[in-house]
Amino acid sequence: MAGFLRTLSWQDMRRNPGRNLVAAAAVMLGVALALAVHLINASALDEFSRAVRAAGGQPDLQLSAARGALPEQLFATVAAAPQVARAAPVLELAATARQDAPGGAPSARVALRVVGADALALPAMAPQLMPRLAPGADRLALFAPATVFLNASAAQALGLQPGADARLALQAGLRQVQVRVAGSVAAGGAPLAVMDIGAAQDLFGRGGELTRIDLLLQPGARPDALQRHLAALPGWPPGAVLAPPGSAAAQVDQLSRAYRVNLTVLALVALFTGAFLVYSVLALSVARRTPQLALLAVLGATPRQRLALVLLEAGLLGALGSAAGVALGTGLAALALRLLGGDLGGGYFSGVQPALQWSGAAALLYGLLGVAAALAGGWWPARAAQRLAPAPALKGVGLAETRAARAWVGLLLIAASALLALLPPIFGIPLAAYVSVGLLLVGGIALLPWLVQLLLGLLAPLAARGPLRLLALARAQRQRASAAVAVGGVVAALSLSVALTVMVASFRTSVDQWLGGVLPAPLYLRAAGSVAGDDAAVFPPDFVGQVERLPAVARVQPLRVSSVQIAPGRAPVALLARPLLPDASHALPLLGASLPVPPGRVGLYVSEAVVDLYGVRPGADWPALSEFFRPVAQAGQAQAASFFIAGVWRDYVRQHGAIAIDRQDWVRLTGDARASDLALWPVPGASDETVRAAVLALARAQLGAEGEALEFTSAGAIRARSLAIFDRSFAVTYWLQAVAIAIGLFGVAASFGAQVLARRKEFGLLAHLGLTRRQILAVVAAEGAAWTAVGTVAGTLLGLAVAVVLVHVVNPQSFHWTMDLTVPWARLAALALAVVAAGTLTAWATGRMAAGRDAVMAVKEDW
């Protein structure tokens, strides 16, 4: 009997290839998308980690400053510590490079990371950074001034042949220098140049500064003992960070984790829809095969065997879809890595071109998830086949649904979803919120029979006016569950599509409004290239005053961007110094009113990420930050600043957190009045080009900066570029949304097609009773429009509820910023109309096939 049932199951699947193909394709897409996202992110993170290890070397510990640079004289103190076996100084800076070809057209600029290191210490500390001399190069080129060694990606980006004698123009800040390429280094990753640390300090004017000190410890030495020893030394810089070399990769892993998890969950959305389509297909199959299943029961098939028969079909669908999904996901990952790199729009792995790192364990995991989703979708139809009563089923009676739809199950799931949405994140990931979304979807779909029953009761007076309407309503009243199955695919796909549409629209609108608040000036000036942090502070205070006195400039606002590493193992927090007084709400998008700063305190405004990551609150002091700022008093004694958190503001750029401080307080605390950016307001009537020409002429005369060393842009251009980056970041979300809609429409076709084809006898009987072909098609099309409309209404309402959880729970817990809920009604209306039209057209087309001569002849099957 078991072998016969397996053969029967396989034959039934072969007789209905189209219907089964839709369910298997849904599982395939879910597995493919989830596996592709996993492989892309795993490959990118692995490549980034290897690049960090290559560039950072193999020291036991790395010493860096919490803010700014380390003083060079600290190197001797650290190297003399009894726990240290070897120490190596390192200077890193960001620059742009292009080939210096006299008389030729300038080449494109390439973002380059310049590492100044001691060549004698590299073999032990960072062997992959050890320079390899080009053929014919002087062996003393390792220590020569203005001489660099490029890794393979830098040489390729600059169009240089291996071993070629070339010259480059490097620009760091406003300083532009000429260097000679004398060889290569083995380190992979993003474009990188290595040179002697003394030559780098002289070349870029960074004498006496170090970025970090790499340390090898004595055998048996403990890092905590070294930390205590160094902290007890006189003149030790406050907040100096001593951490393992892998902390940079760990920080990127931590920052990108929420992004990676969100993409994976969105990809698994397709698996959820696929599970429901498997349910829809098998539920209709069980309903159509009720006499066959009853006959099997009479012939000796036990209820457990009937259960296994349907689950076997579900498992076969899941296995076929998963196998195809693993192959498709691998291909998608390889294609994405080749065309897009490992970024996927998130910006965490920019400059990394990883190779595909295929994982058999990951493929097996997502394949099993696909099979599990299919089995979950087939469980309820299998239970219906198990509970089948053979005698009534053979007579074709006892199948009508007479029990009222029970709403308590769906309401209970929705209530549980609401409670889970209130829970905090787990390990920094909104796991409870994801479960909440799942329960909300399942609960909403569970309420469909009740909703159908409610709507049928409201439509009963209208249906009594015509026999065709009454016919459609009477059938629907007896087949509520079938109707719920038919529209369930619409609800599952449309709700997720609506939720993603609302979430993306809310985020984009909030970012657009935020840009208007943080970009008050029409024009902005900064150093060109990828300069960031303190390296971007290129405008001295004298230059700022001279710009303000230009006839075409009405007002200048200097801005300063720095960073401070408050906690080891976490990414540094951005520190923004800009004019904030007397009212910070004019300069920052505050959440709530600004608190008055008590006398003797320094007011701070922290981003939402700082509140979540460091547990600070408005109206409280922040002692942990005070040790990083020790202004020198008039008597020459150090004083610790006392910081007061005066407000919280939105920042959609820095996921690791940002702090805003008034510029006057910054200058008083640090003694550094340099600016990173200049916000410019032209006088009335002055064009942007006039202001640009005047400012660039002054920069050339006062700072020796050429036009290409400065980036002059408008607020409108910054806004357009930022929104373009946003759209690129959410390109994957748009694709996932399109996939969900496509799967939902396939589900509509499968559900209505199977239902209409299963009603050939009914259509034949109606034809014998005198109904014309057009009338039968009108009944079918009306049913399709009505059921799809019910599903569209339910899916839209459920999608809006899911969007509320995504916007107000998942997003803040994942990325530590909030946004306002924005509903794009026009797009949702267009989406709803498209779904209704597709459902109506599908019902009409399948009804047209089923209402022909075969339907009339099918009546003979009962004679």
Side-chain angles (χ1 to χ4, degrees):
M1 177 63 73
F4 172 72
L5 291 177
R6 287 195 295 268
T7 303
L8 187 65
S9 176
W10 178 251
Q11 291 296 330
D12 183 75
M13 293 182 66
R14 291 182 59 188
R15 285 196 299 268
N16 299 277
R19 183 187 67 210
N20 296 320
L21 181 61
V22 170
V27 176
M28 177 192 70
L29 288 175
V31 172
L33 290 172
L35 179 61
V37 168
H38 172 84
L39 292 178
I40 291 169
N41 283 294
S43 300
L45 187 59
D46 179 73
E47 179 69 18
F48 181 84
S49 300
R50 287 194 289 113
V52 168
R53 289 194 300 269
Q58 301 171 351
D60 297 322
L61 295 172
Q62 290 179 333
L63 178 67
S64 59
R67 184 179 62 83
L70 290 172
E72 188 176 20
Q73 58 268 26
L74 191 65
F75 172 72
T77 303
V78 174
Q83 296 86 358
V84 175
R86 188 186 296 267
V90 178
L91 175 66
E92 290 189 15
L93 50 91
T96 58
R98 61 174 173 81
Q99 283 197 60
D100 185 17
S107 63
R109 288 192 170 272
V110 176
L112 194 67
R113 185 170 143 210
V114 180
V115 177
D118 183 358
L120 299 179
L122 285 177
M125 290 289 190
Q128 289 188 297
L129 291 183
M130 187 63 193
R132 300 179 297 192
L133 295 172
D138 186 356
R139 61 180 181 178
L140 296 181
L142 298 176
F143 313 100
T147 302
V148 298
F149 300 82
L150 304 179
N151 69 346
S153 59
Q156 181 180 4
L158 291 166
L160 300 179
Q161 297 297 327
D165 185 10
R167 292 191 175 274
L168 301 179
L170 293 185
Q171 179 185 317
L174 301 182
R175 183 182 294 267
Q176 183 166 316
V177 295
Q178 310 298 317
V179 298
R180 182 173 65 91
V181 180
S184 62
V185 294
L192 174 74
V194 177
M195 63 187 307
D196 179 69
I197 185 170
Q201 290 174 326
D202 295 338
L203 188 64
F204 297 104
R206 300 290 293 271
E209 295 183 6
L210 298 177
T211 303
R212 70 173 192 266
I213 301 175
D214 293 343
L215 304 174
L216 285 177
L217 301 184
Q218 296 282 1
R222 295 175 55 86
D224 54 348
L226 175 62
Q227 178 75 55
R228 291 193 298 269
H229 172 80
L230 295 178
L233 295 177
W236 183 251
V241 179
L242 195 64
S247 58
Q251 290 169 7
V252 173
D253 183 23
Q254 182 181 14
L255 288 174
S256 64
R257 182 176 56 181
Y259 183 76
R260 290 182 281 121
V261 170
N262 279 347
L263 282 183
T264 302
V265 170
L266 289 178
L268 291 175
V269 157
L271 265 186
F272 172 83
T273 308
F276 195 85
L277 288 184
V278 171
Y279 162 71
S280 176
V281 166
L282 292 182
L284 295 174
S285 175
V286 168
R288 181 180 59 83
R289 295 156 54 197
T290 296
Q292 182 187 47
L293 293 172
L295 180 60
L296 289 175
V298 173
L299 294 177
T302 65
R304 184 181 297 273
Q305 288 176 325
R306 298 196 301 270
L307 175 74
L309 173 66
V310 180
L311 288 180
L312 176 61
E313 295 181 14
L316 287 175
L317 290 175
L320 292 175
S322 295
V326 168
L328 179 60
T330 303
L332 288 175
L335 182 63
L337 289 174
R338 179 182 296 272
L339 299 179
L340 305 175
D343 216 341
L344 277 183
Y348 299 104
F349 308 106
S350 57
V352 175
Q353 292 292 329
L356 177 65
Q357 301 290 331
W358 196 81
S359 171
L364 178 62
L365 173 63
Y366 287 104
L368 292 177
L369 282 177
V371 175
L375 290 175
W379 174 254
W380 283 273
R383 288 284 295 165
Q386 183 185 30
R387 294 194 300 263
L388 184 71
L394 281 174
K395 297 179 180 180
V397 297
L399 302 178
E401 302 168 26
T402 57
R403 292 185 302 172
R406 293 176 295 180
W408 66 268
V409 175
L411 294 176
L412 183 63
L413 290 174
I414 293 176
S417 169
L419 293 176
L420 286 174
L422 301 177
L423 296 180
I426 301 173
F427 303 113
I429 300 175
L431 296 178
Y434 290 137
V435 178
S436 170
V437 170
L439 292 181
L440 185 59
L441 291 171
V442 176
I445 294 175
L447 285 176
L448 278 178
W450 173 81
L451 179 62
V452 170
Q453 178 178 320
L454 176 65
L455 292 179
L456 290 176
L458 297 176
L459 293 175
L462 296 177
R465 300 179 182 179
L468 295 181
R469 299 176 185 174
L470 185 60
L471 179 64
L473 180 64
R475 182 185 181 281
Q477 286 177 327
R478 295 174 59 85
Q479 300 293 334
R480 290 186 302 272
S482 298
V485 170
V487 301
V490 177
V491 174
L494 185 61
S495 60
L496 295 168
S497 300
V498 167
L500 291 178
T501 300
V502 173
M503 182 193 71
V504 174
S506 300
F507 201 1
R508 198 179 194 278
T509 302
S510 297
V511 169
D512 194 14
Q513 295 174 350
W514 175 80
L515 288 171
V518 298
L519 298 174
L523 300 173
Y524 289 87
L525 179 69
R526 64 177 305 176
S530 58
V531 183
D534 291 310
D535 290 338
V538 297
F539 302 114
D542 293 343
F543 176 75
V544 176
Q546 291 174 352
V547 171
E548 195 166 13
R549 289 190 292 270
L550 290 174
V553 177
R555 178 186 169 198
V556 176
Q557 185 181 85
L559 311 173
R560 174 64 184 268
V561 180
S562 183
S563 64
V564 57
Q565 187 158 3
I566 300 174
R570 284 185 175 174
V573 176
L575 194 57
L576 284 67
R578 60 189 304 174
L580 298 178
L581 301 177
D583 188 1
S585 62
H586 293 160
L588 297 173
L590 294 180
L591 298 175
S594 175
L595 300 177
V597 180
R601 310 282 184 87
V602 177
L604 289 180
Y605 298 87
V606 299
S607 67
E608 296 172 293
V610 173
V611 174
D612 290 344
L613 294 174
Y614 296 94
V616 297
R617 292 292 182 269
D621 292 337
W622 196 357
L625 189 63
S626 299
E627 62 177 306
F628 304 123
F629 295 88
R630 295 181 180 270
V632 178
Q634 293 181 357
Q637 297 178 350
Q639 295 179 345
S642 179
F643 291 105
F644 176 82
I645 301 175
V648 179
W649 59 291
R650 280 182 177 171
D651 181 22
Y652 291 129
V653 173
R654 306 162 189 91
Q655 184 184 336
H656 48 76
I659 303 170
I661 185 174
D662 185 70
R663 176 173 169 78
Q664 294 182 359
D665 290 330
W666 166 267
V667 175
R668 179 173 55 85
L669 293 174
T670 65
D672 188 352
R674 296 175 299 165
S676 306
D677 301 78
L678 297 182
L680 307 173
W681 283 262
V683 297
S687 65
D688 293 352
E689 187 58 33
T690 301
V691 175
R692 181 180 185 276
V695 173
L696 292 182
L698 181 63
R700 188 178 301 110
Q702 298 295 325
L703 304 178
E706 298 297 330
E708 62 183 11
L710 296 172
E711 181 180 338
F712 206 101
T713 184
S714 65
I718 297 176
R719 179 192 298 268
R721 184 168 65 246
S722 300
L723 293 178
I725 294 174
F726 176 91
D727 293 333
R728 186 182 66 205
S729 301
F730 279 89
V732 177
T733 303
Y734 297 144
W735 280 107
L736 293 175
Q737 179 182 354
V739 168
I741 294 174
I743 292 176
L745 293 180
F746 276 123
V748 172
S751 299
F752 278 105
Q755 281 205 20
V756 172
L757 292 175
R759 295 166 60 191
R760 289 185 306 129
K761 296 180 183 179
E762 176 186 339
F763 294 149
L765 180 61
L766 292 177
H768 280 295
L769 294 177
L771 269 69
T772 65
R773 179 185 176 89
R774 177 173 297 182
Q775 289 175 321
I776 294 175
L777 292 179
V779 171
V780 174
E783 287 183 11
W787 297 138
T788 312
V790 171
T792 301
V793 172
T796 302
L797 294 176
L798 188 58
L800 292 175
V802 173
V804 171
V805 178
L806 293 179
V807 170
H808 294 302
V809 181
V810 172
N811 187 76
Q813 291 185 4
S814 297
F815 303 106
H816 311 292
W817 54 54
T818 61
M819 55 189 178
D820 299 323
L821 184 67
T822 301
V823 181
W825 294 110
R827 292 177 59 186
L828 296 185
L831 181 62
L833 290 176
V835 172
V836 172
T840 303
L841 182 62
T842 301
W844 178 84
T846 50
R848 189 171 182 272
M849 290 187 297
R853 177 176 175 80
D854 289 342
V856 178
M857 298 303 297
V859 181
K860 294 183 179 181
E861 297 176 8
D862 289 337
W863 295 356

